Amino acid sequence: MVLGVRGDIDLFSAPVFHEYVCTQISPEGQFILDMSKVDFIGTAGLSVLDSVHASNLRDGRHWAMVCGRPLYRLLRAAGQESSYPCFPSVDSALGAWHGRTA
């Protein structure tokens, strides 16, 4: 499953972002969160990603993110660029999964 997100993720939209992701993912399935069309993401959005990441690790669910420039910049500024399963495209995320299961 690929979940697409676009626009700005700030203090006001972060709760909606969190609800969207949590209600769309299947408890037993893997998914890709495509953030390539996000124009801005603030620290409130990073808190949501922390929560989603922790939940997925706890539940043993595989996931990946497609990160655009705003998200890469935030992760780099926070010193967390290697904390998440980030990929430049959906195809590269799928390729990593295929390589892991092959």
Side-chain angles (χ1 to χ4, degrees):
M1 176 189 324
V2 178
L3 298 175
V5 180
R6 65 178 62 223
D8 295 342
I9 302 171
D10 56 20
L11 184 61
F12 298 107
S13 62
V16 175
F17 171 50
H18 186 264
E19 182 179 343
Y20 170 71
V21 173
C22 290
T23 59
Q24 296 300 310
I25 58 176
S26 168
E28 59 280 333
Q30 58 187 16
F31 70 97
I32 296 171
L33 184 58
D34 185 351
M35 305 276 289
S36 63
K37 294 190 186 331
V38 169
D39 299 318
F40 170 83
I41 182 166
T43 56
L46 187 57
S47 293
V48 171
L49 294 176
D50 285 342
S51 173
V52 168
H53 187 57
S55 172
N56 289 325
L57 286 175
R58 181 188 67 236
D59 296 342
R61 189 173 30 241
H62 297 290
W63 78 297
M65 277 194 309
V66 177
C67 301
R69 189 169 188 263
L71 181 52
Y72 274 127
R73 290 185 72 203
L74 177 62
L75 292 175
R76 188 172 55 245
Q80 294 185 330
E81 57 265 68
S82 63
S83 299
Y84 298 96
C86 292
F87 296 89
S89 69
V90 171
D91 287 340
S92 62
L94 290 171
W97 282 345
H98 178 68
R100 185 183 64 228
T101 60

Coordinates of all heavy atoms in Angstrom, one line a residue:
M1 N 0.8 -1.2 0.0 CA 0.0 0.0 0.0 C 0.9 1.2 0.0 O 1.9 1.3 0.7 CB -0.9 0.0 1.2 CG -1.7 1.3 1.3 SD -2.6 1.6 2.8 CE -3.2 0.0 3.4
V2 N 0.5 2.2 -0.8 CA 1.2 3.5 -0.8 C 0.3 4.6 -0.3 O -0.8 4.8 -0.9 CB 1.7 3.9 -2.2 CG1 2.4 5.2 -2.2 CG2 2.7 2.8 -2.7
L3 N 0.7 5.3 0.7 CA -0.1 6.4 1.2 C 0.6 7.7 0.8 O 1.8 7.9 1.1 CB -0.1 6.4 2.8 CG -0.8 5.2 3.4 CD1 -0.6 5.3 4.9 CD2 -2.3 5.1 3.1
G4 N -0.1 8.6 0.1 CA 0.5 9.8 -0.4 C 0.1 11.0 0.5 O -1.1 11.0 1.0
V5 N 1.0 11.8 0.8 CA 0.8 13.0 1.6 C 1.3 14.2 0.9 O 2.4 14.1 0.2 CB 1.5 12.9 3.0 CG1 1.3 14.1 3.8 CG2 1.0 11.7 3.7
R6 N 0.6 15.3 0.9 CA 1.0 16.5 0.2 C 0.7 17.8 1.0 O -0.1 17.7 1.9 CB 0.4 16.6 -1.2 CG -1.1 16.8 -1.2 CD -1.7 16.9 -2.6 NE -1.4 15.7 -3.3 CZ -1.1 15.7 -4.6 NH1 -0.9 16.9 -5.3 NH2 -0.8 14.6 -5.3
G7 N 1.3 18.9 0.7 CA 1.1 20.1 1.3 C 2.0 20.4 2.5 O 3.2 20.0 2.5
D8 N 1.5 21.1 3.5 CA 2.3 21.5 4.7 C 1.9 20.6 5.9 O 0.7 20.4 6.1 CB 2.0 22.9 5.0 CG 2.5 23.9 4.0 OD1 3.3 23.5 3.1 OD2 2.1 25.1 4.0
I9 N 2.8 20.2 6.7 CA 2.6 19.5 7.9 C 3.2 20.4 9.0 O 4.4 20.5 9.2 CB 3.2 18.1 8.0 CG1 2.6 17.3 6.8 CG2 2.9 17.5 9.3 CD1 3.3 16.0 6.6
D10 N 2.3 21.1 9.8 CA 2.8 22.0 10.8 C 2.0 21.6 12.1 O 1.3 20.6 12.2 CB 2.6 23.4 10.4 CG 1.1 23.8 10.0 OD1 0.2 23.0 10.4 OD2 0.9 24.8 9.3
L11 N 2.1 22.5 13.1 CA 1.5 22.3 14.4 C -0.1 22.1 14.2 O -0.6 21.3 15.0 CB 1.7 23.5 15.3 CG 1.2 23.4 16.7 CD1 1.9 22.2 17.4 CD2 1.5 24.7 17.5
F12 N -0.7 22.7 13.3 CA -2.1 22.6 13.1 C -2.6 21.4 12.4 O -3.6 20.8 12.6 CB -2.7 23.9 12.5 CG -2.4 25.1 13.3 CD1 -1.5 26.1 12.9 CD2 -3.2 25.3 14.5 CE1 -1.3 27.2 13.7 CE2 -2.9 26.5 15.3 CZ -2.0 27.4 14.9
S13 N -1.8 21.0 11.4 CA -2.2 19.9 10.5 C -1.6 18.5 11.0 O -2.0 17.5 10.5 CB -1.8 20.1 9.1 OG -0.3 20.3 9.0
A14 N -0.7 18.6 11.9 CA 0.0 17.3 12.4 C -1.0 16.3 13.0 O -0.9 15.1 12.7 CB 1.1 17.6 13.4
P15 N -2.0 16.7 13.8 CA -3.0 15.7 14.3 C -3.8 15.1 13.2 O -4.1 13.9 13.2 CB -3.9 16.6 15.2 CG -3.1 17.7 15.6 CD -2.2 18.0 14.4
V16 N -4.1 15.8 12.1 CA -4.8 15.2 11.0 C -3.9 14.3 10.2 O -4.4 13.2 9.8 CB -5.3 16.4 10.0 CG1 -6.0 15.8 8.8 CG2 -6.3 17.3 10.8
F17 N -2.7 14.6 10.1 CA -1.7 13.8 9.4 C -1.6 12.5 10.2 O -1.6 11.4 9.6 CB -0.3 14.5 9.4 CG 0.8 13.7 8.9 CD1 0.8 12.9 7.8 CD2 2.0 13.7 9.7 CE1 1.9 12.2 7.4 CE2 3.1 13.0 9.3 CZ 3.1 12.2 8.2
H18 N -1.4 12.5 11.5 CA -1.3 11.4 12.4 C -2.6 10.5 12.2 O -2.4 9.3 12.0 CB -1.1 11.8 13.8 CG -0.9 10.6 14.7 ND1 -1.9 10.0 15.5 CD2 0.3 10.0 15.0 CE1 -1.4 9.0 16.2 NE2 -0.1 9.0 15.9
E19 N -3.7 11.0 12.3 CA -5.0 10.3 12.2 C -5.1 9.6 10.8 O -5.4 8.4 10.7 CB -6.2 11.2 12.4 CG -7.5 10.4 12.3 CD -8.7 11.3 12.6 OE1 -8.6 12.4 13.1 OE2 -9.8 10.8 12.2
Y20 N -4.7 10.3 9.7 CA -4.7 9.8 8.4 C -3.9 8.5 8.3 O -4.3 7.5 7.8 CB -4.3 10.8 7.4 CG -4.1 10.3 6.0 CD1 -5.1 9.9 5.2 CD2 -2.8 10.2 5.5 CE1 -4.9 9.4 3.9 CE2 -2.6 9.7 4.2 CZ -3.6 9.3 3.4 OH -3.4 8.8 2.2
V21 N -2.6 8.7 8.7 CA -1.7 7.5 8.6 C -2.2 6.4 9.5 O -2.2 5.2 9.0 CB -0.2 7.9 9.0 CG1 0.7 6.7 9.1 CG2 0.3 9.0 8.1
C22 N -2.6 6.6 10.7 CA -3.0 5.5 11.6 C -4.2 4.8 11.2 O -4.4 3.6 11.4 CB -3.1 6.1 13.0 SG -1.5 6.5 13.7
T23 N -5.1 5.5 10.5 CA -6.4 4.9 10.1 C -6.2 4.2 8.7 O -7.1 3.4 8.4 CB -7.5 5.9 10.0 OG1 -7.2 6.9 9.1 CG2 -7.9 6.5 11.4
Q24 N -5.2 4.5 8.0 CA -5.1 3.9 6.6 C -4.2 2.7 6.6 O -4.4 1.8 5.7 CB -4.5 4.9 5.7 CG -5.3 6.1 5.4 CD -6.7 5.8 4.8 OE1 -6.7 5.0 3.9 NE2 -7.7 6.3 5.4
I25 N -3.3 2.5 7.6 CA -2.4 1.4 7.5 C -3.1 0.1 8.1 O -3.9 0.2 9.0 CB -1.1 1.6 8.2 CG1 -1.3 2.0 9.7 CG2 -0.3 2.7 7.5 CD1 0.0 2.2 10.5
S26 N -2.8 -1.0 7.5 CA -3.3 -2.3 7.9 C -2.4 -2.8 9.0 O -1.2 -2.7 8.9 CB -3.3 -3.3 6.7 OG -3.5 -4.6 7.1
P27 N -3.0 -3.4 10.1 CA -2.2 -3.9 11.2 C -1.1 -4.9 10.8 O -0.1 -5.0 11.4 CB -3.2 -4.5 12.1 CG -4.5 -3.9 11.8 CD -4.4 -3.5 10.3
E28 N -1.4 -5.7 9.8 CA -0.5 -6.7 9.4 C 0.3 -6.5 8.1 O 1.1 -7.2 7.7 CB -1.2 -8.1 9.3 CG -2.3 -8.2 8.3 CD -3.6 -7.6 8.8 OE1 -3.9 -7.6 10.0 OE2 -4.4 -7.2 8.0
G29 N 0.0 -5.4 7.4 CA 0.6 -5.1 6.1 C 1.8 -4.1 6.2 O 1.9 -3.4 7.1
Q30 N 2.5 -4.2 5.1 CA 3.6 -3.2 5.0 C 3.1 -2.1 4.1 O 2.1 -2.2 3.4 CB 4.8 -3.9 4.3 CG 4.6 -4.5 3.0 CD 5.9 -5.2 2.5 OE1 6.8 -5.5 3.3 NE2 6.0 -5.6 1.3
F31 N 3.7 -0.9 4.2 CA 3.2 0.3 3.5 C 4.4 1.2 3.2 O 5.4 1.2 3.9 CB 2.1 1.0 4.2 CG 2.5 1.7 5.5 CD1 2.8 3.0 5.5 CD2 2.6 1.0 6.7 CE1 3.1 3.7 6.6 CE2 3.0 1.6 7.8 CZ 3.2 3.0 7.8
I32 N 4.1 2.1 2.2 CA 5.1 3.1 1.9 C 4.4 4.5 2.1 O 3.2 4.7 1.6 CB 5.5 3.0 0.4 CG1 6.3 1.7 0.2 CG2 6.4 4.3 0.1 CD1 6.6 1.4 -1.2
L33 N 5.0 5.3 2.9 CA 4.4 6.7 3.1 C 5.2 7.6 2.2 O 6.3 7.9 2.4 CB 4.7 7.1 4.6 CG 4.1 8.4 5.0 CD1 2.6 8.5 4.8 CD2 4.4 8.6 6.5
D34 N 4.4 8.0 1.1 CA 5.1 8.9 0.1 C 4.9 10.4 0.5 O 3.9 11.0 0.4 CB 4.4 8.7 -1.2 CG 5.0 9.4 -2.4 OD1 5.9 10.3 -2.1 OD2 4.7 9.2 -3.5
M35 N 6.0 10.9 1.0 CA 6.1 12.3 1.5 C 6.8 13.2 0.4 O 7.2 14.3 0.8 CB 6.9 12.4 2.8 CG 6.3 11.4 3.9 SD 5.0 12.1 4.8 CE 5.8 13.4 5.7
S36 N 6.9 12.7 -0.8 CA 7.7 13.5 -1.8 C 7.0 14.8 -2.2 O 7.6 15.7 -2.7 CB 7.9 12.6 -3.0 OG 6.7 12.2 -3.6
K37 N 5.7 14.9 -2.0 CA 4.9 16.1 -2.4 C 4.6 17.0 -1.2 O 3.8 18.0 -1.3 CB 3.7 15.7 -3.1 CG 3.9 15.1 -4.4 CD 2.7 14.9 -5.2 CE 2.7 14.1 -6.4 NZ 3.7 13.9 -7.3
V38 N 5.3 16.8 0.0 CA 5.2 17.7 1.1 C 6.0 18.9 0.9 O 7.2 18.8 0.6 CB 5.6 16.9 2.4 CG1 5.7 17.9 3.6 CG2 4.6 15.8 2.7
D39 N 5.4 20.1 1.0 CA 6.1 21.3 0.8 C 6.8 21.8 2.0 O 7.8 22.5 1.9 CB 5.1 22.4 0.3 CG 4.4 22.0 -1.0 OD1 5.1 21.5 -1.9 OD2 3.2 22.2 -1.1
F40 N 6.3 21.5 3.2 CA 6.9 22.0 4.4 C 6.5 20.9 5.5 O 5.4 20.4 5.5 CB 6.3 23.3 4.9 CG 6.7 23.7 6.3 CD1 7.9 24.2 6.5 CD2 5.9 23.4 7.4 CE1 8.3 24.6 7.8 CE2 6.2 23.8 8.7 CZ 7.5 24.3 8.9
I41 N 7.5 20.6 6.4 CA 7.2 19.8 7.5 C 8.0 20.3 8.7 O 9.2 20.6 8.6 CB 7.5 18.3 7.3 CG1 7.2 17.4 8.5 CG2 8.9 18.1 6.8 CD1 7.1 15.9 8.3
G42 N 7.2 20.6 9.8 CA 7.9 21.1 11.0 C 8.1 20.0 12.0 O 7.8 18.8 11.8
T43 N 8.5 20.4 13.2 CA 8.8 19.5 14.2 C 7.6 18.7 14.7 O 7.7 17.6 15.2 CB 9.5 20.1 15.4 OG1 8.7 21.2 15.9 CG2 10.9 20.7 15.0
A44 N 6.4 19.3 14.6 CA 5.2 18.6 15.0 C 5.0 17.4 14.0 O 4.6 16.3 14.5 CB 4.0 19.5 14.9
G45 N 5.3 17.5 12.8 CA 5.3 16.4 11.8 C 6.3 15.4 12.1 O 6.1 14.2 12.0
L46 N 7.5 15.8 12.6 CA 8.5 14.8 13.0 C 8.1 14.0 14.2 O 8.3 12.8 14.3 CB 9.8 15.6 13.3 CG 11.0 14.7 13.6 CD1 11.4 13.8 12.5 CD2 12.2 15.6 13.9
S47 N 7.3 14.6 15.1 CA 6.8 13.9 16.3 C 5.8 12.8 15.8 O 5.8 11.7 16.3 CB 6.1 14.8 17.2 OG 7.0 15.7 17.8
V48 N 5.0 13.1 14.8 CA 4.1 12.1 14.2 C 4.9 11.0 13.6 O 4.6 9.8 13.8 CB 3.2 12.8 13.1 CG1 2.4 11.7 12.4 CG2 2.2 13.8 13.8
L49 N 5.9 11.3 12.8 CA 6.8 10.2 12.3 C 7.4 9.4 13.3 O 7.5 8.2 13.2 CB 7.8 10.8 11.3 CG 7.2 11.5 10.1 CD1 8.4 12.2 9.3 CD2 6.5 10.6 9.2
D50 N 7.9 10.0 14.4 CA 8.4 9.2 15.5 C 7.4 8.2 16.1 O 7.7 7.1 16.3 CB 8.9 10.2 16.7 CG 10.1 10.9 16.4 OD1 10.9 10.5 15.5 OD2 10.4 11.9 17.1
S51 N 6.2 8.7 16.2 CA 5.1 7.8 16.7 C 4.8 6.7 15.8 O 4.6 5.5 16.2 CB 3.8 8.7 17.0 OG 2.8 7.9 17.3
V52 N 4.7 7.0 14.5 CA 4.4 6.0 13.5 C 5.5 5.0 13.4 O 5.3 3.8 13.4 CB 4.2 6.6 12.1 CG1 4.2 5.6 11.0 CG2 2.9 7.5 12.1
H53 N 6.8 5.4 13.5 CA 7.9 4.6 13.4 C 7.9 3.6 14.6 O 8.1 2.4 14.5 CB 9.2 5.4 13.3 CG 10.4 4.6 13.1 ND1 10.6 3.7 12.0 CD2 11.6 4.5 13.8 CE1 11.8 3.2 12.1 NE2 12.4 3.6 13.2
A54 N 7.7 4.2 15.8 CA 7.7 3.4 17.0 C 6.6 2.3 17.0 O 6.8 1.2 17.4 CB 7.6 4.3 18.3
S55 N 5.5 2.7 16.5 CA 4.3 1.8 16.4 C 4.6 0.6 15.5 O 4.4 -0.5 15.7 CB 3.1 2.5 16.0 OG 2.0 1.7 15.7
N56 N 5.2 1.0 14.3 CA 5.6 0.0 13.3 C 6.6 -1.0 13.8 O 6.6 -2.2 13.6 CB 6.0 0.6 12.0 CG 4.9 1.3 11.3 OD1 3.7 0.8 11.4 ND2 5.1 2.4 10.7
L57 N 7.6 -0.5 14.5 CA 8.7 -1.3 15.1 C 8.1 -2.3 16.2 O 8.3 -3.5 16.2 CB 9.8 -0.5 15.8 CG 10.7 0.2 14.8 CD1 11.7 1.1 15.6 CD2 11.5 -0.8 14.0
R58 N 7.2 -1.7 17.0 CA 6.6 -2.5 18.1 C 5.7 -3.6 17.5 O 5.7 -4.8 18.0 CB 5.7 -1.6 18.9 CG 5.0 -2.3 20.1 CD 4.0 -1.5 20.8 NE 2.9 -1.1 19.9 CZ 2.5 0.1 19.6 NH1 3.2 1.1 20.1 NH2 1.5 0.3 18.8
D59 N 5.0 -3.3 16.4 CA 4.1 -4.3 15.8 C 4.7 -5.2 14.7 O 4.1 -6.0 14.1 CB 2.9 -3.5 15.1 CG 2.1 -2.8 16.1 OD1 2.1 -3.1 17.3 OD2 1.3 -1.9 15.7
G60 N 6.0 -5.0 14.5 CA 6.8 -5.8 13.5 C 6.3 -5.5 12.1 O 6.5 -6.4 11.2
R61 N 5.8 -4.4 11.8 CA 5.3 -4.0 10.5 C 6.5 -3.3 9.7 O 7.1 -2.5 10.2 CB 4.1 -3.1 10.6 CG 3.4 -2.8 9.4 CD 2.1 -2.0 9.6 NE 2.1 -1.1 10.7 CZ 1.3 -1.2 11.8 NH1 0.4 -2.1 11.9 NH2 1.4 -0.3 12.8
H62 N 6.6 -3.7 8.4 CA 7.6 -3.1 7.6 C 7.0 -1.9 6.9 O 5.9 -1.9 6.4 CB 8.1 -4.1 6.5 CG 8.8 -5.3 7.1 ND1 10.0 -5.2 7.7 CD2 8.4 -6.6 7.1 CE1 10.4 -6.4 8.1 NE2 9.4 -7.2 7.8
W63 N 7.8 -0.8 6.9 CA 7.3 0.4 6.2 C 8.5 1.1 5.6 O 9.7 0.8 5.9 CB 6.5 1.3 7.2 CG 7.3 2.1 8.1 CD1 8.2 1.6 9.1 CD2 7.4 3.5 8.2 NE1 8.7 2.6 9.8 CE2 8.3 3.8 9.3 CE3 6.8 4.5 7.5 CZ2 8.5 5.1 9.7 CZ3 7.0 5.8 7.9 CH2 7.9 6.1 8.9
A64 N 8.2 2.1 4.8 CA 9.3 2.9 4.2 C 8.6 4.3 3.9 O 7.4 4.5 3.8 CB 9.8 2.3 2.9
M65 N 9.5 5.3 3.8 CA 9.1 6.7 3.4 C 9.8 7.1 2.2 O 11.0 6.9 2.0 CB 9.4 7.7 4.5 CG 8.5 7.7 5.7 SD 8.7 9.2 6.7 CE 10.5 9.2 7.1
V66 N 9.0 7.8 1.3 CA 9.6 8.5 0.2 C 9.8 9.9 0.6 O 8.8 10.6 1.0 CB 8.8 8.4 -1.1 CG1 9.4 9.2 -2.2 CG2 8.6 6.9 -1.5
C67 N 11.0 10.4 0.7 CA 11.3 11.7 1.3 C 11.6 12.7 0.3 O 12.5 12.5 -0.5 CB 12.4 11.6 2.3 SG 12.1 10.4 3.7
G68 N 10.9 13.8 0.3 CA 11.3 15.0 -0.5 C 12.3 15.8 0.2 O 12.6 15.6 1.4
R69 N 12.6 16.9 -0.5 CA 13.7 17.8 0.1 C 13.3 18.4 1.5 O 14.1 18.4 2.4 CB 13.9 19.0 -0.9 CG 15.1 19.8 -0.5 CD 15.5 20.7 -1.6 NE 16.8 21.4 -1.3 CZ 16.8 22.6 -0.8 NH1 15.7 23.3 -0.5 NH2 18.0 23.2 -0.5
P70 N 12.0 18.9 1.7 CA 11.7 19.4 3.0 C 11.9 18.4 4.2 O 12.4 18.7 5.2 CB 10.2 19.8 2.9 CG 10.0 20.1 1.4 CD 10.9 19.1 0.7
L71 N 11.5 17.2 3.9 CA 11.6 16.2 5.0 C 13.1 15.8 5.2 O 13.6 15.7 6.3 CB 10.8 14.9 4.6 CG 10.9 13.8 5.7 CD1 10.5 14.3 7.1 CD2 9.9 12.7 5.2
Y72 N 13.9 15.7 4.1 CA 15.3 15.4 4.2 C 16.0 16.5 5.0 O 16.8 16.2 5.9 CB 16.0 15.3 2.9 CG 15.9 13.9 2.3 CD1 15.5 13.7 1.0 CD2 16.4 12.8 3.0 CE1 15.4 12.4 0.4 CE2 16.3 11.5 2.4 CZ 15.9 11.3 1.2 OH 15.8 10.1 0.6
R73 N 15.6 17.7 4.8 CA 16.2 18.9 5.5 C 15.9 18.8 7.0 O 16.8 19.1 7.8 CB 15.7 20.2 4.9 CG 16.3 20.5 3.5 CD 16.0 21.8 3.0 NE 16.7 22.8 3.8 CZ 16.4 24.1 3.9 NH1 15.3 24.5 3.4 NH2 17.1 24.9 4.6
L74 N 14.6 18.5 7.3 CA 14.2 18.4 8.7 C 15.0 17.3 9.4 O 15.5 17.4 10.5 CB 12.7 18.2 8.8 CG 12.2 18.1 10.3 CD1 12.5 19.3 11.1 CD2 10.7 17.8 10.2
L75 N 15.0 16.1 8.8 CA 15.7 15.0 9.4 C 17.2 15.3 9.6 O 17.8 14.9 10.6 CB 15.5 13.7 8.5 CG 14.1 13.2 8.4 CD1 14.1 12.0 7.4 CD2 13.6 12.8 9.8
R76 N 17.8 15.9 8.6 CA 19.2 16.3 8.7 C 19.4 17.3 9.9 O 20.3 17.1 10.7 CB 19.8 16.9 7.4 CG 21.3 17.0 7.4 CD 21.8 17.4 6.0 NE 21.2 18.6 5.5 CZ 20.5 18.6 4.4 NH1 20.3 17.5 3.7 NH2 19.9 19.7 3.9
A77 N 18.6 18.3 10.0 CA 18.7 19.3 11.0 C 18.5 18.7 12.4 O 19.1 19.1 13.4 CB 17.6 20.4 10.8
A78 N 17.6 17.7 12.5 CA 17.4 17.0 13.8 C 18.4 15.9 14.0 O 18.3 15.2 15.1 CB 15.9 16.4 13.7
G79 N 19.3 15.6 13.1 CA 20.3 14.6 13.3 C 19.6 13.2 13.2 O 20.1 12.2 13.8
Q80 N 18.5 13.0 12.4 CA 17.8 11.8 12.4 C 17.7 11.2 10.9 O 16.8 10.4 10.7 CB 16.4 12.0 12.9 CG 16.4 12.2 14.4 CD 15.0 12.3 15.0 OE1 14.0 12.6 14.3 NE2 14.8 11.9 16.2
E81 N 18.6 11.6 10.1 CA 18.5 11.2 8.7 C 18.7 9.7 8.5 O 18.2 9.1 7.5 CB 19.5 11.9 7.8 CG 20.9 11.9 8.2 CD 21.4 13.0 9.0 OE1 21.0 13.1 10.1 OE2 22.3 13.8 8.5
S82 N 19.3 9.0 9.5 CA 19.4 7.5 9.4 C 18.4 6.8 10.3 O 18.5 5.6 10.4 CB 20.8 7.1 9.6 OG 21.2 7.4 11.0
S83 N 17.5 7.5 10.9 CA 16.6 6.9 11.9 C 15.4 6.3 11.2 O 14.7 5.5 11.9 CB 16.1 8.0 12.9 OG 17.2 8.5 13.6
Y84 N 15.1 6.7 10.0 CA 13.9 6.2 9.3 C 14.2 5.5 8.0 O 15.3 5.7 7.5 CB 13.0 7.4 9.0 CG 12.5 8.2 10.2 CD1 13.2 9.3 10.6 CD2 11.4 7.7 10.9 CE1 12.8 10.0 11.7 CE2 11.0 8.4 12.0 CZ 11.6 9.6 12.4 OH 11.2 10.2 13.5
P85 N 13.3 4.6 7.6 CA 13.6 3.9 6.3 C 13.2 4.8 5.1 O 12.1 4.7 4.5 CB 12.6 2.7 6.4 CG 11.5 3.2 7.3 CD 12.1 4.1 8.3
C86 N 14.1 5.7 4.8 CA 13.9 6.7 3.8 C 14.4 6.3 2.4 O 15.5 5.8 2.3 CB 14.5 8.1 4.1 SG 13.7 8.9 5.5
F87 N 13.7 6.6 1.4 CA 14.1 6.3 0.0 C 13.7 7.5 -0.9 O 12.8 8.2 -0.6 CB 13.4 5.0 -0.5 CG 13.7 3.8 0.3 CD1 13.1 3.4 1.5 CD2 14.8 3.0 -0.1 CE1 13.4 2.3 2.2 CE2 15.2 1.9 0.6 CZ 14.5 1.6 1.8
P88 N 14.4 7.6 -2.0 CA 14.1 8.7 -2.9 C 12.9 8.5 -3.8 O 12.4 9.4 -4.4 CB 15.4 8.8 -3.8 CG 16.0 7.5 -3.7 CD 15.6 6.9 -2.4
S89 N 12.4 7.2 -3.9 CA 11.3 7.0 -4.8 C 10.5 5.7 -4.3 O 11.1 4.9 -3.5 CB 11.7 6.8 -6.2 OG 12.4 5.5 -6.3
V90 N 9.3 5.6 -4.7 CA 8.5 4.4 -4.4 C 9.2 3.1 -5.0 O 9.3 2.1 -4.3 CB 7.1 4.5 -4.9 CG1 6.3 3.1 -4.8 CG2 6.3 5.6 -4.2
D91 N 9.7 3.2 -6.2 CA 10.4 2.1 -6.8 C 11.6 1.7 -6.0 O 11.9 0.5 -5.8 CB 10.9 2.4 -8.2 CG 9.7 2.5 -9.2 OD1 8.6 1.9 -8.9 OD2 9.8 3.1 -10.3
S92 N 12.4 2.6 -5.5 CA 13.6 2.2 -4.7 C 13.2 1.6 -3.3 O 13.8 0.6 -2.9 CB 14.5 3.4 -4.4 OG 13.9 4.4 -3.7
A93 N 12.1 2.0 -2.8 CA 11.6 1.4 -1.5 C 11.1 0.0 -1.8 O 11.5 -1.0 -1.1 CB 10.4 2.2 -0.9
L94 N 10.4 -0.2 -2.9 CA 10.0 -1.6 -3.3 C 11.1 -2.4 -3.6 O 11.2 -3.6 -3.3 CB 9.0 -1.5 -4.5 CG 7.6 -0.9 -4.2 CD1 6.9 -0.7 -5.5 CD2 6.8 -1.8 -3.2
G95 N 12.1 -1.9 -4.3 CA 13.3 -2.7 -4.6 C 14.1 -3.1 -3.4 O 14.6 -4.2 -3.3
A96 N 14.1 -2.3 -2.3 CA 14.8 -2.7 -1.1 C 14.0 -3.8 -0.4 O 14.6 -4.7 0.1 CB 14.9 -1.5 -0.1
W97 N 12.7 -3.8 -0.5 CA 11.9 -4.8 0.1 C 12.1 -6.1 -0.7 O 12.2 -7.2 -0.1 CB 10.4 -4.5 0.1 CG 10.0 -3.6 1.2 CD1 10.7 -3.3 2.3 CD2 8.8 -2.8 1.3 NE1 10.1 -2.4 3.1 CE2 8.9 -2.1 2.5 CE3 7.7 -2.7 0.5 CZ2 7.8 -1.2 2.9 CZ3 6.7 -1.8 0.9 CH2 6.8 -1.1 2.1
H98 N 12.1 -6.0 -2.0 CA 12.3 -7.2 -2.8 C 13.7 -7.8 -2.5 O 13.8 -9.0 -2.4 CB 12.2 -6.9 -4.3 CG 12.4 -8.0 -5.2 ND1 11.6 -9.1 -5.3 CD2 13.4 -8.3 -6.0 CE1 12.1 -10.0 -6.1 NE2 13.2 -9.5 -6.6
G99 N 14.7 -7.0 -2.4 CA 16.0 -7.5 -2.1 C 16.1 -8.1 -0.8 O 16.9 -9.1 -0.6
R100 N 15.4 -7.6 0.2 CA 15.4 -8.2 1.5 C 14.7 -9.5 1.6 O 15.1 -10.4 2.4 CB 14.7 -7.2 2.5 CG 14.8 -7.7 4.0 CD 14.1 -6.8 5.0 NE 12.7 -6.8 4.7 CZ 11.9 -5.8 4.6 NH1 12.5 -4.6 4.7 NH2 10.6 -5.9 4.4
T101 N 13.6 -9.7 0.8 CA 12.9 -11.0 0.9 C 13.3 -12.0 -0.1 O 12.8 -13.1 -0.1 CB 11.4 -10.7 0.7 OG1 11.2 -10.1 -0.6 CG2 10.8 -9.8 1.8
A102 N 14.2 -11.6 -1.0 CA 14.6 -12.5 -2.1 C 15.6 -13.5 -1.6 O 16.3 -13.3 -0.6 CB 15.2 -11.8 -3.3

